[in-house]
Amino acid sequence: MISAREVVEQAGLDVNILIDRLTAAATAELSAVYRYTILTAHPLGFAEEELRQILKDIRDEDRRHFDALVGRIYELDGRLPEDIRQFLQGRHTPPEDSSAGTWDPVTALIDDVRRAAHPYGDLCGLTEGRDQRTFALAQAIRNEKVEHQAWLDEFLGTGPPGRFHRGFRGRSPFLSCLASAPEGSGPTA
C-alpha cells in the first residue's frame, strides 16, 4: 500500500518543505487561538459583546484549522514536538507596537485577520495540481480567513451589511465540506 507521503513525492513535491509550511501554518493557527482568547478577555470598547462574539467565532474556526493542519501533517508522516514550547519556539512574533503603551486590540485584531490568509495562498500555489488534498485544505482555510475579514468589515461598517445570518459564523463551512478518507480506502494526496 502506497502512503500519502509517497503519492505527494511522486507528484514532484518536496514533502519536507510541505510539512514545514504546514507546521508553520499550524503554529500560526494555535498562536491565533491563544491571541483571540486573550483578546476576548480584554476590554474592547464599542459594541463589546458583538465584537467579543466575532472573536470567539474566529477562534473556534482557527482551532478547527489547527486540527485539520495537524491531521494533514501526520498523514504525510510528519511529526510535531510533544512540548509546546518547542513547537512555538522561533515561530511566534509578538504584535507590532506592543511596547508602545497605546496598544489597540481592535486594530491588532484587524491587522492579524488581514494577514492570516496570505500563507494559505502560498500553500495553494505550492500544491496546485500536485497535492489535491493539501490544496483543498489550504483553499478552504484561506476562504474562511477571507470570511473572517468580511465579518470584521461588516462589524465596522466597511463591508456589505447583513451578509451573514445567525449561526453561520464559527462553523467552518468551507473546511467541513472536505470529507476525510474512509477507513481502509488508501492514501489520498
Side-chain angles (χ1 to χ4, degrees):
M1 178 192 267
I2 190 167
S3 72
R5 181 182 188 99
E6 291 168 328
V7 170
V8 173
E9 285 173 341
Q10 288 174 1
L13 275 171
D14 183 330
V15 178
N16 292 326
I17 289 173
L18 179 58
I19 289 171
D20 285 346
R21 290 198 184 175
L22 289 168
T23 301
T27 302
E29 294 295 340
L30 187 59
S31 294
V33 169
Y34 178 79
R35 277 192 313 277
Y36 299 148
T37 299
I38 298 301
L39 278 173
T40 60
H42 195 279
L44 298 171
F46 70 98
E48 187 168 327
E49 276 313 305
E50 187 178 351
L51 182 57
R52 196 174 311 284
Q53 187 57 50
I54 291 170
L55 280 168
K56 288 178 181 178
D57 291 341
I58 292 172
R59 179 191 62 200
D60 290 348
E61 286 195 355
D62 285 352
R63 185 195 51 78
R64 288 183 184 98
H65 299 162
F66 172 76
D67 290 345
L69 289 163
V70 169
R72 186 60 179 154
I73 290 165
Y74 278 78
E75 286 172 3
L76 295 169
D77 297 329
R79 297 289 175 258
L80 298 177
E82 291 189 25
D83 185 337
I84 194 160
R85 292 171 295 202
Q86 289 177 331
F87 179 60
L88 295 175
Q89 185 177 18
R91 298 198 189 246
H92 175 72
T93 56
E96 293 176 23
D97 300 321
S98 61
S99 62
T102 58
W103 182 71
D104 176 18
V106 176
T107 302
L109 171 65
I110 292 166
D111 290 344
D112 276 354
V113 169
R114 286 193 175 130
R115 285 191 305 266
H118 296 293
Y120 296 101
D122 294 342
L123 267 171
C124 284
L126 176 68
T127 59
E128 187 172 19
R130 298 190 288 176
D131 177 3
Q132 189 56 35
R133 185 158 168 80
T134 303
F135 175 79
L137 174 65
Q139 191 173 43
I141 294 173
R142 181 178 62 184
N143 288 340
E144 290 181 3
K145 297 295 184 182
V146 169
E147 292 296 319
H148 296 171
Q149 185 173 347
W151 299 346
L152 288 172
D153 287 345
E154 180 183 354
F155 170 75
L156 296 170
T158 59
R163 177 175 170 184
F164 303 104
H165 59 291
R166 191 170 183 78
F168 174 79
R169 288 195 323 234
R171 295 185 185 260
S172 296
F174 295 99
L175 193 59
S176 36
C177 287
L178 299 177
S180 54
E183 283 293 317
S185 65
T188 57

